[in-house]
Amino acid sequence: MRVLIVEDDPALGPSTANGLELEGFAVDLRSDGDSANAAMVAQKYDAIVLDLGLPGISGEDLLRGWRERSEHTPVLVLTARGFVLDRVRLLNLGADDYLVKPFDLLELSARLRALGRRQGSKDDVMLEFGQLLLSRSEHVAVWSGTRVELTKREYRILDTLLRNRDRVLSRKQLEEALYGWGEEVESNAIEVHVHNLRRKLSRNLIETVRGAGYRLTQNVEPS
Ligand code: CA
């Protein structure tokens, strides 16, 4: 399992990296946001250990930026003792877990393995709905046997509708699934993405339920 540690503390960073290496992880250590982003372009990680108190871009802003550009690598946040950041806020930011310093290395290692297992099982899923197949590892759709490239946001809408296939999802719910916490959303953004999905896949795949929202429908014959 390959882990990126983003921690600027000159003692804690290297000791955590060494400790995790001894636990069998492949580890890269970076001490600021820019070099962390550069490492993530070059390498796919199974999990990221993120210190919130970084020089330059804060850990919070880094995490928000990753989630906004649909970078879903699991993130375990390290917070300083006495630093009050409630769980709801961390989850809103897109963190998957957190530990308060000083932490036990074995605890960190156990939690990272748990995140890796969760991610592994998530990535293998191929969702199916009638003539539609959606690959969660590649973020592409296959419609009637033809591969269809989707933008990240189109993918997220389709993925959210598929996972909630028995429900009608409101525009608000789809916006929440699509955009980061506190991010400005254009009022017609969802309509535009749904329009594009209908154009790329089938015009009847996503049904508009008047006054309620959207749901997937198996009735894909032209009406
Ligand atoms: Ca720090």
Side-chain angles (χ1 to χ4, degrees):
M1 190 173 165
R2 183 169 284 274
V3 176
L4 175 67
I5 301 176
V6 192
E7 166 65 78
D8 63 307
D9 187 296
L12 186 63
S15 71
T16 305
N18 290 337
L20 287 181
E21 273 169 4
L22 290 175
E23 284 289 305
F25 292 86
V27 183
D28 289 329
L29 172 64
R30 297 292 182 275
S31 57
D32 63 73
D34 287 334
S35 56
N37 279 329
M40 288 163 70
V41 170
Q43 180 72 52
K44 169 114 182 75
Y45 293 97
D46 301 300
I48 299 167
V49 177
L50 176 67
D51 175 33
L52 288 185
L54 293 171
I57 315 167
S58 75
E60 230 179 291
D61 287 343
L62 261 183
L63 178 52
R64 187 180 296 118
W66 293 338
R67 294 322 187 213
E68 281 174 11
R69 57 172 206 253
S70 297
E71 166 55 68
H72 296 304
T73 305
V75 171
L76 185 149
V77 158
L78 298 178
T79 67
R81 188 165 37 178
F83 187 85
V84 184
L85 190 63
D86 67 65
R87 206 175 158 73
V88 173
R89 185 164 161 78
L90 277 171
L91 292 176
N92 273 330
L93 280 174
D96 298 273
D97 201 355
Y98 74 102
L99 276 175
V100 177
K101 297 177 192 177
F103 54 84
D104 184 298
L105 191 74
L106 292 179
E107 175 77 33
L108 175 62
S109 133
R111 295 215 196 172
L112 287 174
R113 286 188 216 286
L115 287 181
R117 277 195 299 274
R118 255 200 265 160
Q119 181 68 6
S121 58
K122 249 194 271 176
D123 275 356
D124 293 334
V125 176
M126 190 84 164
L127 295 171
E128 190 176 354
F129 184 86
Q131 299 173 64
L132 174 70
L133 281 175
L134 193 65
S135 161
R136 306 193 76 187
S137 50
E138 288 185 82
H139 286 196
V140 295
V142 177
W143 178 257
S144 291
T146 305
R147 187 183 161 104
V148 181
E149 300 294 334
L150 302 176
T151 67
K152 283 193 171 167
R153 286 188 165 150
E154 288 163 6
Y155 169 83
R156 289 277 286 281
I157 288 190
L158 205 49
D159 182 70
T160 305
L161 287 169
L162 261 169
R163 281 186 288 104
N164 297 279
R165 55 184 70 185
D166 301 323
R167 302 170 53 198
V168 175
L169 296 182
S170 68
R171 192 183 80 189
K172 185 92 199 133
Q173 285 173 311
L174 288 172
E175 283 173 357
E176 279 166 7
L178 231 64
Y179 295 91
W181 186 67
E183 190 180 353
E184 209 59 53
V185 186
E186 282 171 48
S187 62
N188 67 340
I190 299 295
E191 281 88 340
V192 170
H193 293 311
V194 166
H195 170 83
N196 289 334
L197 281 167
R198 285 174 174 151
R199 187 173 50 78
K200 288 183 176 180
L201 300 166
S202 155
R203 57 192 260 227
N204 293 332
L205 174 68
I206 302 171
E207 180 187 3
T208 302
V209 181
R210 243 169 250 294
Y214 301 97
R215 76 171 159 220
L216 292 187
T217 166
Q218 297 267 18
N219 172 29
V220 294
E221 296 303 311
S223 52

